[in-house]
Amino acid sequence: MINFFLGLGATGIYSINNYVGTLVQIPRRAMGKIAATFLAGLWTKNDREQLQDIYQKSVLSQLAIGVLIFIGIWVNLDAVFHILPSNYESGKWVIFYIGLTNLLHCSIGLGGVIVVTSKHYKINTYLTFLLGILAIGTNLIFIPIWGITGAAFASALSKLIYVALNMVIIKNKLGIRPLSRVHFLIPLAGLISYAAVYPLQQEWPWILLLFVKSLAIIMVYLACLKWFRVLPSLRSFVQDF
């Protein structure tokens, strides 16, 4: 659709920036691949208590890692465009919205896998079809208005609706609570970390600035997670997993 509206050059810029934004989904993909068989076993035993526990902790871990990757990329955007050719900088908001899209998906943790392995597995097909329709419709609206940024925004908007519907189904059909208070503390920790590191705009070599900013982000972010008492739960989940 980008190629149709904007041409091949814009498509190339979008594609490369899209790859950077998709780094946020690394924890989601890694966990999803190994969890399906185990979750299916829990459904055969109808162990809803453990399903609830695993779901909550999967959201915790995926959000915690996803937010760190997202803010790490965004605060180091200048370094990203030192690596990429200068004309790709026009797609910086593609990185933001695609990163946000994948972060939204992280907010449902293993919810998609839990739905697929349950007796309500057909719902996932309907939701995927709906996501496709939403993506096409929103792209038709926003690409002519905002170009490649509009395409990325369309992805984020479509995913937001998809995630919201998933949470409704997870709660109403499966009896699993989607989010708890601790999950909202993770994006807050990310915002605090970004605000703390953003003013660090020294005239240093970009590779040195990349290292210093990344180290500072990690330290402030982990300190916030520890202060919010998210870190002990995350460490426990990783050890159990």
Side-chain angles (χ1 to χ4, degrees):
M1 293 179 73
I2 294 171
N3 185 46
F4 176 79
F5 282 108
L6 305 174
L8 194 59
T11 305
I13 293 172
Y14 181 89
S15 297
I16 297 300
N17 284 286
N18 177 70
Y19 291 143
V20 178
T22 54
L23 292 173
V24 175
Q25 71 175 330
I26 289 173
R28 181 179 65 82
R29 284 193 169 183
M31 190 177 295
K33 287 180 179 179
I34 60 176
T37 304
F38 179 68
L39 291 171
L42 292 179
W43 275 120
T44 59
K45 294 184 288 185
N46 199 30
D47 191 346
R48 291 180 181 266
E49 184 177 345
Q50 193 168 357
L51 282 164
Q52 175 72 59
D53 185 55
I54 289 173
Y55 175 75
Q56 294 284 334
K57 289 179 177 178
S58 72
V59 175
L60 184 77
S61 62
Q62 290 188 24
L63 264 183
I65 299 170
V67 167
L68 178 59
I69 295 172
F70 181 69
I71 59 173
I73 291 171
W74 193 244
V75 82
N76 287 301
L77 211 57
D78 290 341
V80 171
F81 290 114
H82 269 94
I83 299 169
L84 297 174
S86 58
N87 60 321
Y88 284 93
E89 193 168 355
S90 62
K92 69 177 184 179
W93 286 102
V94 172
I95 295 175
F96 177 83
Y97 284 119
I98 294 300
L100 184 62
T101 299
N102 289 294
L103 203 55
L104 285 169
H105 208 146
C106 287
S107 69
I108 58 172
L110 291 172
V113 184
I114 290 174
V115 173
V116 168
T117 53
S118 74
K119 65 180 181 180
H120 301 290
Y121 64 92
K122 290 182 180 179
I123 293 176
N124 186 68
T125 303
Y126 304 143
L127 286 176
T128 304
F129 179 75
L130 176 62
L131 179 61
I133 297 297
L134 286 170
I136 293 170
T138 52
N139 271 289
L140 284 171
I141 294 169
F142 293 110
I143 290 177
I145 300 173
W146 293 329
I148 57 174
T149 300
F153 177 78
S155 294
L157 181 60
S158 301
K159 186 68 74 170
L160 176 62
I161 297 170
Y162 172 82
V163 166
L165 290 173
N166 260 285
M167 288 185 178
V168 170
I169 289 161
I170 288 167
K171 182 178 181 180
N172 295 334
K173 290 287 186 181
L174 306 182
I176 295 173
R177 297 187 309 277
L179 294 174
S180 62
R181 187 183 69 89
V182 70
H183 296 132
F184 293 98
L185 294 174
I186 296 172
L188 179 59
L191 287 172
I192 293 170
S193 306
Y194 179 78
V197 175
Y198 179 76
L200 189 62
Q201 303 289 349
Q202 303 295 327
E203 293 298 324
W204 296 340
W206 70 269
I207 190 70
L208 177 60
L209 198 58
L210 171 67
F211 176 77
V212 171
K213 281 185 174 181
S214 299
L215 184 61
I217 278 283
I218 292 170
M219 291 176 65
V220 175
Y221 184 66
L222 291 179
C224 288
L225 292 185
K226 187 174 182 179
W227 185 42
F228 293 150
R229 298 183 179 179
V230 174
L231 203 56
S233 299
L234 181 61
R235 187 185 299 117
S236 173
F237 174 69
V238 171
Q239 289 172 349
D240 292 344
F241 197 72

